Amino acid sequence: MSDRISSLLTNQGPPQLRNTMSAIFVLAWPAILEQIMITLVQYVDTAMVGSLGSAATAAVGLTASTTWLFGGLFGASSVGFSVQVAQHLGAGRNEDAKRVTWQALRFTGIFGVLVGAIGVALSFPLPAILQAQEGIRADASLYFRIMACAMPCTLAANMFSAILRCAGDTKTPMILNVLINALNVCLNFLFIYPVRTVSLFGTSFTMWGAGWGVGGAAFASALSTATVSVLFLLVLFHKKSPIRISVKQRYPFEKACLLTVWRLGLPVALERTLTSLAQVIITGLIAGVGTVAVAANHLAVTAESLSYMPAFGVSTAATTLVGQSIGAERKDLAKHFARLISWLGIGVMTLGGVILYVFAPQLIMIFSSEPEVIELGTQILRIVAFAEPLFGASIVASGALRGAGDSKVPFLLSLGTMWGVRVTLSLLLVKPLGLPGVWLAMTAELCARGLVFMIRLYRGRWLNIDLFRQKTKNS
């Protein structure tokens, strides 16, 4: 925990704006920089696959919603453990925070392998389930199968990033997660393309390449994630911090900890699972429109991330600050942080929306040179640009609510807007309007979600949640 945060938690007077902004900045800037760097590297990654043609882009994009589904399960478990770490540290219970970290490590090994095996089995029928065109099914299946093999490592990176951030260390996850993506791009050069002649600074040389295409992109991602997940383990065991663990002092699973993970994680898992299932349905609708629509949709989703990834960085600060404030029994400070950071998120996303609208053609042209894809991608990016401010409100507000242990109500709110607004409107609009109709539905849903999350935040009922009530009863 940084000195700035500690001083705010121990000072019983009303929080000063200068001090709170300083604490937010200390936590947020590495997370924001991390998200921006990851997004830029993903741009390069997507562009490298896009150079193989719209069919290759569609093959990767087809499985994106299913990948998000599995990622939602990983994110839910990460929330369950990391929020406990934040609140324990805020209360000065460092040993309890270490106990939670050890259990997170054990959980990662067991759950990661289980989910990875399910992903491998699913990879074979998945393209047919999503009604993909015959020409992209083999590549889509191969891509997802390779990614599924790396799921234990993906879970490890997600879990330990979240725990380190909630412990107040946002710089280490920034460095390691940027490294994953940078390494991925370097490996792409080796595994996507065949042996070829490369010119660099006036010198030509032959570069080895496996020529695996879409499969090579997946292999590069899997290998880079596996490499960096090992580095995360080294950080947990060797870097000096309040949650540093040791093989000499190992902790078994504890009922109280796992029950808290269940209470926190289940609503998040259900939210992300049902949201991802909705996206799978929508992807199926888009796949029925054609390969160009699938490719444009995937590229636009990637381009849109430029606007909302910084908001996820701000959300990280919200989870940590609210979680540690609740742990320190400073509800006044938790409310102050939650409201202030949510408005910062809206400001960040407003700027992102402007960038998205003005530079929509240039963003799509990074990934594709096909006129049909560029035209359609530009159109849908300019539609969703108007939803970005309220989308930012939902992202950051949900991070603040998670820090307080409030995951049930956000689950119900997200479920209602996703299925009641986005899916319903997509089914109604996809036939008359095609892909733009789907993105109009998404825009309406993002605006509705932002409004209901801000209402939940300002009502303040989440301040009365007792995250460790089960543990207290058992004590």
Side-chain angles (χ1 to χ4, degrees), residues 103-261:
Q103 291 173 80
L105 177 59
R106 292 178 182 274
F107 179 88
T108 298
I110 297 171
F111 189 62
V113 171
L114 175 62
V115 174
I118 294 172
V120 170
L122 180 62
S123 67
F124 296 96
L126 182 62
I129 293 173
L130 295 177
Q131 302 179 13
Q133 295 182 356
E134 193 65 37
I136 67 172
R137 288 189 179 185
D139 276 345
S141 178
L142 176 63
Y143 184 87
F144 188 76
R145 186 156 57 253
I146 295 173
M147 295 299 289
C149 291
M151 282 182 180
C153 300
T154 304
L155 173 58
N158 288 349
M159 178 72 75
F160 303 138
S161 290
I163 287 175
L164 288 169
R165 290 189 186 105
C166 281
D169 179 6
T170 53
K171 292 182 181 179
T172 300
M174 174 193 72
I175 294 170
L176 293 182
N177 283 311
V178 169
L179 180 60
I180 288 177
N181 289 270
L183 184 59
N184 180 35
V185 168
C186 294
L187 293 176
N188 275 345
F189 280 103
L190 299 178
F191 295 111
I192 292 178
Y193 306 114
V195 176
R196 61 207 181 278
T197 301
V198 176
S199 297
L200 186 64
F201 302 117
T203 302
S204 297
F205 59 93
T206 300
M207 175 176 283
W208 179 87
W212 292 347
V214 170
F219 185 77
S221 297
L223 183 58
S224 58
T225 302
T227 301
V228 176
S229 66
V230 174
L231 297 180
F232 269 109
L233 286 174
L234 293 175
V235 167
L236 284 179
F237 280 100
H238 296 289
K239 184 177 180 180
K240 185 178 180 180
S241 73
I243 58 168
R244 179 179 176 180
I245 56 179
S246 170
V247 292
K248 296 180 181 179
Q249 190 177 22
R250 290 170 286 185
Y251 297 100
F253 284 122
E254 296 175 347
K255 182 179 179 181
C257 175
L258 294 181
L259 283 175
T260 304
V261 171

Side-chain angles (χ1 to χ4, degrees), residues 144-445:
F144 188 76
R145 186 156 57 253
I146 295 173
M147 295 299 289
C149 291
M151 282 182 180
C153 300
T154 304
L155 173 58
N158 288 349
M159 178 72 75
F160 303 138
S161 290
I163 287 175
L164 288 169
R165 290 189 186 105
C166 281
D169 179 6
T170 53
K171 292 182 181 179
T172 300
M174 174 193 72
I175 294 170
L176 293 182
N177 283 311
V178 169
L179 180 60
I180 288 177
N181 289 270
L183 184 59
N184 180 35
V185 168
C186 294
L187 293 176
N188 275 345
F189 280 103
L190 299 178
F191 295 111
I192 292 178
Y193 306 114
V195 176
R196 61 207 181 278
T197 301
V198 176
S199 297
L200 186 64
F201 302 117
T203 302
S204 297
F205 59 93
T206 300
M207 175 176 283
W208 179 87
W212 292 347
V214 170
F219 185 77
S221 297
L223 183 58
S224 58
T225 302
T227 301
V228 176
S229 66
V230 174
L231 297 180
F232 269 109
L233 286 174
L234 293 175
V235 167
L236 284 179
F237 280 100
H238 296 289
K239 184 177 180 180
K240 185 178 180 180
S241 73
I243 58 168
R244 179 179 176 180
I245 56 179
S246 170
V247 292
K248 296 180 181 179
Q249 190 177 22
R250 290 170 286 185
Y251 297 100
F253 284 122
E254 296 175 347
K255 182 179 179 181
C257 175
L258 294 181
L259 283 175
T260 304
V261 171
W262 178 260
R263 287 171 43 221
L264 272 175
L266 180 61
V268 177
L270 289 174
E271 173 193 340
R272 297 189 182 182
T273 298
L274 293 174
T275 297
S276 296
L277 285 175
Q279 290 170 335
V280 169
I281 292 172
I282 293 171
T283 300
L285 294 175
I286 295 170
V289 178
T291 299
V292 171
V294 174
N297 180 73
H298 177 58
L299 298 184
V301 167
T302 304
E304 188 202 4
S305 64
L306 178 67
S307 66
Y308 66 71
M309 282 303 172
F312 278 109
V314 177
S315 178
T316 296
T319 301
T320 302
L321 291 168
V322 171
Q324 293 192 4
S325 297
I326 293 292
E329 299 183 355
R330 290 293 309 276
K331 292 183 179 181
D332 60 325
L333 196 57
K335 180 170 68 174
H336 178 75
F337 275 131
R339 293 183 177 184
L340 179 59
I341 299 177
S342 293
W343 284 104
L344 285 176
I346 291 174
V348 169
M349 289 287 280
T350 299
L351 177 60
V354 172
I355 293 173
L356 206 61
Y357 188 91
V358 173
F359 297 103
Q362 290 79 7
L363 291 172
I364 298 297
M365 283 190 287
I366 293 174
F367 314 123
S368 177
S369 59
E370 299 183 26
E372 290 182 333
V373 174
I374 294 171
E375 181 180 358
L376 186 56
T378 298
Q379 183 180 357
I380 59 180
L381 276 183
R382 285 179 168 165
I383 290 172
V384 81
F386 291 96
E388 298 306 293
L390 284 172
F391 187 22
S394 68
I395 291 172
V396 182
S398 64
L401 296 173
R402 278 196 302 271
D406 183 14
S407 55
K408 182 178 179 180
V409 174
F411 153 62
L412 295 174
L413 296 178
S414 296
L415 180 65
T417 59
M418 175 59 76
W419 287 86
V421 179
R422 188 183 301 195
V423 174
T424 301
L425 287 180
S426 293
L427 290 169
L428 293 174
L429 297 177
V430 67
K431 284 190 176 180
L433 298 178
L435 184 60
V438 174
W439 280 65
L440 282 170
M442 180 172 71
T443 299
E445 187 269 328

